[in-house]
Amino acid sequence: MLRQITRHRNVTQCLSALGDKSWLMAVAPPKNIDDPNAEPALEDIAGFLIPGNVAVKLHRGTWHAGPYFEDEEINFLNLELSDTNEVDHQNSLLAKRFGFALRFAL
């Protein structure tokens, strides 16, 4: 269940699964990057099934949630600055804003 979505306003981020296992990610475009109070519109959020042999680059300010996966365990590469989640982490609490959580439909 997708209850919140996050963005990093100052850096890019790259994610890739190891072991050729597919995974899921939700994203929304990086609108109003300089506004620390901006939040994504519900209609801008899209979910994707990412093949296990694909790396994803998130541009600065891209809203994202995941990785989500059905396997018991998947190892990932996550390229970002060592302190990104401490100094550049903005959440949008979707369940609180809209009164429901989102779910991937496969």
Side-chain angles (χ1 to χ4, degrees):
M1 292 293 231
L2 181 65
R3 297 182 185 337
Q4 71 179 35
I5 196 163
T6 300
R7 73 176 176 173
H8 309 297
R9 295 184 314 125
N10 298 310
V11 298
T12 61
Q13 181 178 4
C14 295
L15 289 170
S16 180
L18 301 175
D20 203 33
K21 295 182 178 182
S22 297
W23 51 287
L24 301 158
M25 173 175 252
V27 296
K31 296 179 179 175
N32 302 313
I33 293 173
D34 295 325
D35 181 356
N37 298 310
E39 298 192 68
L42 183 59
E43 61 270 14
D44 285 344
I45 300 170
F48 294 92
L49 176 62
I50 312 295
N53 62 349
V54 171
V56 175
K57 178 196 176 213
L58 302 171
H59 291 282
R60 186 175 70 93
T62 300
W63 292 97
H64 59 285
Y68 296 99
F69 47 88
E70 294 182 345
D71 291 72
E72 186 174 316
E73 181 178 289
I74 297 179
N75 291 313
F76 284 86
L77 294 175
N78 180 7
L79 303 176
E80 63 186 13
L81 298 176
S82 62
D83 64 349
T84 294
N85 285 323
E86 297 166 14
V87 300
D88 185 21
H89 192 138
Q90 179 185 353
N91 289 317
S92 176
L93 305 177
L94 301 173
K96 184 177 179 181
R97 284 178 59 207
F98 300 116
F100 56 85
L102 303 176
R103 186 174 76 180
F104 290 97
L106 299 177

